Amino acid sequence: APMSELLTSLTWWQWLVFALALGALETLIPGAVMIWFAAAAAVIGLVMVVVPLPWQWQWVLWAVLGVVAMVAYRRYKDTRPDFTEQPVLNQRGLQYVGQAFDLVEPIENGVGKVRIGDGVWKVSGPALPSGTTVRVTGVDGAVLTVQKAE
């Protein structure tokens, strides 16, 4: 049972490595969850430098600190909405709502593409041949919702 042995005998530096691994996972799985457990693992690693905690306490503290940090962060975020000079900066598609573009790929089965600047955006809307001018009516993630421009 080498795995259970590892889990019951983590050293301070292994907790810090664990923290780094969780921090890296946050970049792959965004959502501000892993980062709090990474921070909790780092705290345990640093505490272990000074106070050798029994392994049961290490895991309990890690879980509790991670959840508390995540909940505290979410509460903080809920009470302070993001105010910004450029409200559509992180939702690039929103800046195109109301604008007209030409389809570079026909809309078939609800999906097509338009050229915007030097990029191509996926669009959803009614079946239309390529070359048709469409107007952006909304955004769903990275897909622009369009209809035929009048």
Side-chain angles (χ1 to χ4, degrees):
M3 187 65 181
S4 64
E5 226 171 81
L6 174 68
L7 295 178
T8 59
S9 64
L10 286 176
T11 61
W12 66 271
W13 64 267
Q14 287 168 315
W15 275 103
L16 295 180
V17 169
F18 185 43
L20 288 172
L22 288 171
L25 270 177
E26 177 72 30
T27 63
L28 302 172
I29 312 166
V33 173
M34 296 292 175
I35 198 69
W36 301 111
F37 289 94
V43 166
I44 302 230
L46 295 172
V47 166
M48 297 260 309
V49 171
V50 186
V51 183
L53 295 169
W55 69 269
Q56 297 92 336
W57 278 101
Q58 294 171 33
W59 287 105
V60 168
L61 273 173
W62 172 72
V64 169
L65 283 173
V67 170
V68 166
M70 185 174 63
V71 169
Y73 170 75
R74 296 231 163 117
R75 284 229 173 98
Y76 173 83
K77 284 292 284 176
D78 288 346
T79 59
R80 287 166 189 76
D82 295 333
F83 289 110
T84 168
E85 296 295 312
Q86 298 169 298
V88 297
L89 190 64
N90 288 327
Q91 300 159 323
R92 280 190 42 221
L94 288 177
Q95 65 192 348
Y96 302 125
V97 172
Q99 296 186 37
F101 302 101
D102 293 332
L103 288 174
V104 291
E105 280 183 24
I107 299 179
E108 294 168 343
N109 299 323
V111 182
K113 291 187 179 167
V114 294
R115 177 169 303 286
I116 299 178
D118 57 359
V120 175
W121 281 68
K122 258 189 174 172
V123 295
S124 67
L128 294 166
S130 71
T132 307
T133 301
V134 292
R135 188 166 306 282
V136 178
T137 57
V139 184
D140 181 13
V143 179
L144 303 175
T145 311
V146 298
Q147 63 187 27
K148 187 172 183 184
E150 300 303 323

